[in-house]
Amino acid sequence: GIVRSPTEGVKYLEVAEGKGVTQAQTVLGIVYMSGDEGVVRDNDKALKLFTKAAEAGDVQAMHNLGLMLVQGKGAPVSLNRGTDWVRRAATAGVVESQFTLHCWYRDG
């Protein structure tokens, strides 16, 4: 079988990301945003990866990009741009985005 090696897995994500695979961009963005898999947390890298993937149509990246922009992670706070990305993801059917918008509108 395969021996667990998060750093080896990240290498393969980086290869796929370099080839423009949007799913790899999104997953690698999550890894950098969370600091998982032996990777140092890097919000700037995460934001760039989510932006690439979101602009290519990845709905989970749209959601994550929107949250980062609203929270000011990797870029200055941008409520309008962040909300727009979360709204796009919600419109595409991302339940987490729909619930996030519900909470934002409920709480103001």
Side-chain angles (χ1 to χ4, degrees):
I2 294 178
V3 176
R4 187 179 190 295
S5 175
T7 54
E8 190 69 18
V10 168
K11 287 179 191 176
Y12 283 100
L13 281 175
E14 289 172 340
V15 169
E17 186 280 321
K19 293 181 178 184
V21 177
T22 56
Q23 187 176 14
Q25 292 165 342
T26 300
V27 173
L28 195 54
I30 292 167
V31 169
Y32 279 112
M33 182 176 66
S34 63
D36 286 342
E37 307 299 331
V39 171
V40 175
R41 181 177 297 179
D42 188 333
N43 286 328
D44 293 337
K45 278 188 179 181
L47 187 78
K48 288 176 186 170
L49 290 162
F50 289 145
T51 299
K52 279 188 200 179
E55 288 175 349
D58 187 288
V59 295
Q60 186 61 52
M62 291 176 191
H63 177 80
N64 294 341
L65 175 59
L67 292 182
M68 288 190 79
L69 290 169
V70 166
Q71 296 168 0
K73 293 183 177 179
V77 170
S78 179
L79 298 178
N80 290 335
R81 284 181 52 225
T83 302
D84 182 55
W85 280 112
V86 173
R87 186 176 292 115
R88 288 184 197 189
T91 301
V94 177
V95 174
E96 188 177 5
S97 299
Q98 294 164 349
F99 184 73
T100 297
L101 286 174
H102 155 76
C103 292
W104 289 351
Y105 282 112
R106 181 194 65 204
D107 300 337

